[in-house]
Structures are given as structure tokens and as C-alpha cells.
Amino acid sequence: MTDVSRSYVSELTTAVGSGWNRFWFSTADPYPTCLLRIAVGLLAVYFVGSYSTDLVTWFGSAGLLPSAAVRQLSGETFGGTIDAVTRFSYLHYVSTPSGLWICHALGLLVLLCFTLGLYSRITSILSLVIVLSYIHRAPLLAGQFEPLLTMAIFYLCIAPVGAHLSVDRWWQTRRGAASTPARPSVAANISLRLLQIHVVGFYLLMALSQLAGETWWMGDAAWWLIAHSESRLADLTFLHSSPLLVAGLTHGIVLFELLFALLIWKPLARPLLMLASLIVWPFLALLTGLVSFAAIMLVLNIAFLSPRQLRRWTPLSARSPAVGD
Amino acid sequence: MTTKPSATPLHAAREPSSGSSSPAQTLISIWLVIHLFCIAVALTSNVAPSVLQVRLLDVLAIYTRTLNFDLNFTPYELTHAGPDDVDHRIEVLPANADPAVSANWIVVGMDGFRAADGYKRFQRLAKVTAFLVDSDRDEAAAEVALHVAKYQLHHAGVVPAKIRIRKHWLQSRDVFRNGTPAQRDPDAESYFEVVYQANAIVFDDNTISIVKDEEASQVAAPDEVSP
């Protein structure tokens, strides 16, 4: 019995260990991470840029959320004595309009450099600090979009995101320092794996959260989304006469999220789920007005696509051949 | 027809490692395990966390909050999608204006494009303030009201007399089937409920004091739309 147990434990640890190493420490083409850098970078530019119209309104010393008030409110609301540490933001230390505008312009410049792939190693980390600073400056204002954005930038900091489609790559090629295609790397694989797992976690969380609510079970939830007259982008109240369609939409949203979380790992199901997400997310954006959230959910699909497919679809891919091409 | 096992990398991965690990791989593996544990705790605590999850979140806050993995009140279910999960707005009444005329109230920051995040931030501020009121944290709600009043006075050039937070109730399907034309208008006054109202007292030196208007803050929801 002891021998049987010992051999089982040994077999189990070997299998888990080799499976773990194969999953995390294989090498992967960094091309998808580079494409994600551009798409996520553009969304980060949008996110920070969206503060431009109300920068002083929110963050000025006489604005709606002065630093001291936010610290007090977020401490009370989000309950934590270590808030000052965990919610670090350089914007807490700037409150004059000119100071805010200088920080804002520099932040946008860094995010633009990250998007273009200029000094991508440094600008990826700086981009994360910048985006986190805006979120931590006023956590009360954050919605569904922000956690996904920071998650994506955080994982892109790990990967060699300047290996393709970047100013870094162009500059290296010009100097003759990068004549060969960028090599597959373990860092790119870890970055993509973390993105995939985290995105699947989000899908699962969304589906389970919905299933915790009565209206999602009863098929009414889509109606209550439609009824948000201050948020929706399209008025679909004409669906009041089609309860079956409303119920179908409700169940369809939950089903899509559950299926995505469970089946995206299967190559055969992946194209169908990608196609479904191209329908579901724009539709949800119309229904809820959460355009940036829907956009990043679509963008994160890139983490599940193969580099070969992505190269076929992107116009500049000829300049970024894979090893072996 | 066969499918690849789930452990097969999605990205044309090469040189799969053998069972043995280098020290670097071991260190990275330890970080990955801790990281994934933190993510799992943060994600699963989004809705109705248990006592254990709340305790774990506190312990892991230094990591999860710093990197914004701790979602707190982010409604990942998109909405509770119930009749009580509604939009809110902050409104300011200028001095000497009649509070009974709804057109006299200035809606703070809701004039932008509703798909833009700039527009949604004002909605979120209103919703968080309403949440503070619901949680009996009137001082915190008054703090928000004070800054709204100050902003109106110093930047918008409006001398504020009253600040209020209003809930915008949703229309049920029955309203469209059996309601009157007025009931079908989502912006009809009957769909709004005051959850918080305060008087803003502006002194000669332009300092402002906020005093909660208890009566106005306890207006019941309209019968036809209450959940």
C-alpha cells in the first residue's frame, strides 16, 4: 500500500511538474504581445486622454475630488488603513492646474511611446505606473474598464513587446543590429499565459456574478440593461413586446461568457467563440454604454490567437517575420 | 477529429522544457503560484465575499490593491440588472432659483457623450455618494456635496443653494404596454427619487457649509416604478 501510494505521489508530482513547465516555460512568438501593446496602448492613451476635459475639475485643489477628500472617502468606502501605500499615485502630490497639465502631457507622451514601441521595456513599466496613478488618484471613479487595462499593461511589462511592429525594432534593423527575426521567448509565453488565465477568470466571474442575480435566471436582465436611459447608446425599448427575445438575449449573454471561459482552450471552439465575441461585445456596448470595456474585452482576444493567424491579418506583418519564415 | 490537450500552448510554443527546473524557473513558479492565488481571491471576492475571503483580501491588499486587481465594488455582472440597480445624478440648485422647477437644477457633468468615460465618471461619483448615504455615512456624502458646491462657486460661477443626489428609476416593461405617454417618458419627474439633499450656505468669505435637508432626503420612490 505504501509503495502504491509512493508511486502514485511520485507519478503525480512528475506529471504536474512537467505539465506546469510545459505550460509556463515553453517559448512563444512575441508577435501577439506586440500587437496587444499597440491596441492596449491606444486604449491607455484614450483612458488618460479622457481626463483631459475634466483634469482640473477632478484633481485640482479646488476640484470635485481633492486629494485629501479622496484619501478620506476611499479609506472609508474601500476600508483600509494601508490605503496610502496600496493606492499610490503621483497625482496626489500635484494639485495646481499647471502642474497637473504638465504631468498629464508627460503621461500621454509616455503612453504614446509605449504604443509606438519606443524604449518599450521602460515605457511599458512607466505606462503601468501612469495608468495606476490615475486610477488610484480617484478609485471611486473607476469602472469595469480600468482593472482590465491595468491587468493587460502589467502582463505586457513581462513580454518583449518591442520585438515586432515597434520603433525599437525599426531602429535596430536600421542600425543592422536586428537583421534576424525576433526569437520566441519564455517571457512572451508567460505574459500570454497570464493574460489568458486572467481573461478567462474575468469571463467566469462575470457569468457567475450574473447567475447570482435573480433577473439573469429569470431572463429579465437584458430588459433592465435596456431600461438604463442615462447609459444606453441605443434605445431598444421596443423589445418590451418581445419577452422571449429579451429572455433569449439574457441567457445568451450568460451562456457566451460561460462557454468562453470553458472552451476557449479548445482550438476547434476558439474561432466560434471569437466570432461570438465580435457580436456580443459591440451589442453589450450599445446596451450598456460601456464602450471602453467592450473594446478591451475584444482586444484581449488577441491573447488567444495564434501568431500565424495574426500575421495574416495585420498589414505590417511582412516586416515582422517569425523565426523559420 | 482530435483536439489538442488544454496544456498545449496556444502560441506555437517551441522547446517544451523537461521535468527538471532551473533555479530561475523555480523562483518564477513560486511567484506565479502566489500571483494566481491573489488573482483568484480578488476575482472571487467581487460578489458577496465570505469572512475568509475578506480576511485574505486584507492580507493580500498590498499586492492586489497596488496593482488594481482588487475589484471592490466594480460591477462585473454589468449590473445587478434589477429594477433597483439604477443610474444616479448630482444636481445643484443656484441661489434664488425655485427648487420646485426641475429645469432650475444644474446636472453636474452629464452633458458629455454618454459612451465616453468622462461622462460615466460623474455617474459613478453620484452612485458612490448615494451608496455612502445608504450606508449611513452622511458625513462622507456631505464631503462630496461640499466639493461639488465649492467647484460650482469657484469655477462654474454658480452660487449654490442646494445640492442633491437623485436616483433615476428604470421603466418596467408594463409601462410600455399599459402606461400613459407621460409614463413612457424615461425622464418624467416620477422616475426620480431624491436620496440625499443638502443646503449649501455660502458665507461672505466664500466658505461653504453643508447642512443636510432631512425631509427632502426621505422622499419615497414613485409607486409605479418601485421594485
Side-chain angles (χ1 to χ4, degrees):
Chain A
M1 183 64 186
T2 317
D3 284 347
V4 173
S5 311
R6 203 174 296 148
S7 109
Y8 169 72
V9 170
S10 161
E11 205 177 316
L12 183 71
T13 49
T14 308
V16 169
S18 61
W20 175 272
N21 283 347
R22 198 168 56 246
F23 187 84
W24 292 106
F25 298 109
S26 299
T27 57
D29 187 337
Y31 192 77
T33 60
C34 302
L35 214 54
L36 275 166
R37 184 203 76 234
I38 297 171
V40 171
L42 285 173
L43 286 170
V45 169
Y46 160 75
F47 168 70
V48 171
S50 70
Y51 275 98
S52 301
T53 48
D54 306 308
L55 188 68
V56 181
T57 304
W58 287 121
F59 302 150
S61 54
L64 293 175
L65 289 174
S67 195
V70 167
R71 282 199 163 125
Q72 186 196 336
L73 286 172
S74 58
E76 283 183 24
T77 311
F78 302 119
T81 48
I82 52 168
D83 239 28
V85 182
T86 58
R87 294 200 185 277
F88 168 78
S89 166
Y90 61 80
L91 293 169
H92 277 306
Y93 307 100
V94 191
S95 58
T96 60
S98 55
L100 281 170
W101 277 110
I102 291 168
C103 285
H104 190 63
L106 288 174
L108 281 170
L109 189 68
V110 169
L111 292 173
L112 214 57
C113 290
F114 169 64
T115 309
L116 293 171
L118 178 63
Y119 300 114
S120 8
R121 270 281 172 225
I122 300 163
T123 52
S124 59
I125 295 166
L126 288 177
S127 295
L128 181 65
V129 173
I130 290 163
V131 169
L132 281 171
S133 287
Y134 278 80
I135 294 167
H136 290 333
R137 175 63 180 79
L140 305 87
L141 305 180
Q144 290 93 334
F145 171 55
E146 286 86 344
L148 286 157
L149 183 65
T150 47
M151 174 267 281
I153 300 176
F154 176 66
Y155 294 141
L156 290 178
C157 289
I158 299 168
V161 288
H164 295 286
L165 309 170
S166 68
V167 174
D168 287 345
R169 179 74 183 169
W170 172 80
W171 186 245
Q172 283 173 353
T173 311
R174 207 176 137 89
R175 288 188 311 167
S179 52
T180 55
R183 297 205 157 275
S185 77
V186 172
N189 185 55
I190 291 176
S191 167
L192 285 167
R193 287 306 197 186
L194 284 167
L195 270 167
Q196 289 162 1
I197 289 175
H198 210 137
V199 169
V200 162
F202 270 117
Y203 270 100
L204 206 55
L205 166 75
M206 279 190 280
L208 294 177
S209 305
Q210 286 163 352
L211 290 176
E214 196 179 321
T215 51
W216 288 97
W217 280 105
M218 291 170 64
D220 288 338
W223 172 261
W224 295 115
L225 289 174
I226 291 167
H228 278 256
S229 63
E230 288 190 19
S231 302
R232 67 189 178 210
L233 297 185
D235 185 356
L236 301 181
T237 48
F238 61 87
L239 291 177
H240 72 271
S241 56
S242 314
L244 289 180
L245 190 55
V246 170
L249 288 172
T250 305
H251 300 319
I253 292 167
V254 182
L255 187 67
F256 161 71
E257 288 164 2
L258 273 178
L259 288 180
F260 193 100
L262 298 174
L263 297 180
I264 194 63
W265 306 102
K266 297 289 181 190
L268 267 181
R270 211 170 296 146
L272 283 177
L273 291 167
M274 295 283 162
L275 193 67
S277 76
L278 286 175
I279 298 164
V280 171
W281 286 114
F283 176 70
L284 279 173
L286 279 180
L287 220 59
T288 60
L290 297 169
V291 176
S292 49
F293 175 57
I296 199 162
M297 290 308 284
L298 280 175
V299 159
L300 290 172
N301 279 341
I302 294 173
F304 295 94
L305 291 167
S306 79
R308 197 178 292 272
Q309 280 170 319
L310 289 170
R311 278 195 166 79
R312 219 177 296 148
W313 295 339
T314 45
L316 289 171
S317 58
R319 294 184 190 176
S320 302
V323 172
D325 278 4
Chain B
M1 197 178 286
T2 57
T3 57
K4 290 176 190 174
S6 61
T8 305
L10 290 164
H11 292 281
R14 297 148 207 226
E15 309 160 26
S17 305
S18 63
S20 60
S21 304
S22 68
Q25 278 188 358
T26 306
L27 282 176
I28 294 168
S29 292
I30 292 169
W31 172 69
L32 284 169
V33 170
I34 295 169
H35 174 77
L36 293 175
F37 178 73
C38 292
I39 297 302
V41 170
L43 285 178
T44 55
S45 304
N46 184 250
V47 179
S50 69
V51 182
L52 175 64
Q53 284 170 312
V54 171
R55 185 84 186 94
L56 280 171
L57 267 184
D58 278 346
V59 174
L60 303 174
I62 193 84
Y63 187 74
T64 55
R65 272 195 206 149
T66 306
L67 293 169
N68 199 38
F69 293 140
D70 182 356
L71 306 177
N72 284 310
F73 300 108
T74 306
Y76 265 93
E77 66 280 19
L78 300 173
T79 159
H80 294 298
D84 53 347
D85 187 3
V86 299
D87 294 321
H88 293 74
R89 48 170 69 178
I90 299 176
E91 296 173 321
V92 176
L93 181 76
N96 303 321
D98 182 359
V101 180
S102 66
N104 286 341
W105 291 83
I106 300 165
V107 183
V108 178
M110 303 282 278
D111 48 356
F113 178 44
R114 60 178 59 180
D117 280 51
Y119 172 90
K120 303 221 171 287
R121 284 182 196 119
F122 285 97
Q123 276 187 325
R124 286 178 199 133
L125 180 67
K127 196 163 193 167
V128 167
T129 313
F131 169 79
L132 293 169
V133 175
D134 280 348
S135 316
D136 291 328
R137 295 181 197 163
D138 282 351
E139 323 81 64
E143 179 81 13
V144 175
L146 175 67
H147 292 295
V148 170
K150 274 185 181 173
Y151 185 79
Q152 290 295 321
L153 181 66
H154 298 301
H155 293 273
V158 174
V159 179
K162 288 178 187 291
I163 316 285
R164 70 182 181 186
I165 313 287
R166 287 207 296 173
K167 247 181 195 177
H168 192 167
W169 290 102
L170 306 178
Q171 294 168 293
S172 71
R173 271 185 292 190
D174 288 340
V175 164
F176 288 90
R177 281 199 289 260
N178 310 317
T180 61
Q183 285 175 320
R184 289 195 196 113
D185 174 10
D187 295 323
E189 276 301 303
S190 58
Y191 289 110
F192 288 94
E193 179 197 352
V194 177
V195 291
Y196 177 81
Q197 184 164 307
N199 295 309
I201 303 161
V202 182
F203 298 101
D204 290 342
D205 59 352
N206 274 351
T207 54
I208 301 175
S209 179
I210 297 291
V211 180
K212 189 181 177 187
D213 187 344
E214 295 285 352
E215 268 182 39
S217 303
Q218 289 171 359
V219 175
D223 288 343
E224 66 272 27
V225 290
S226 59

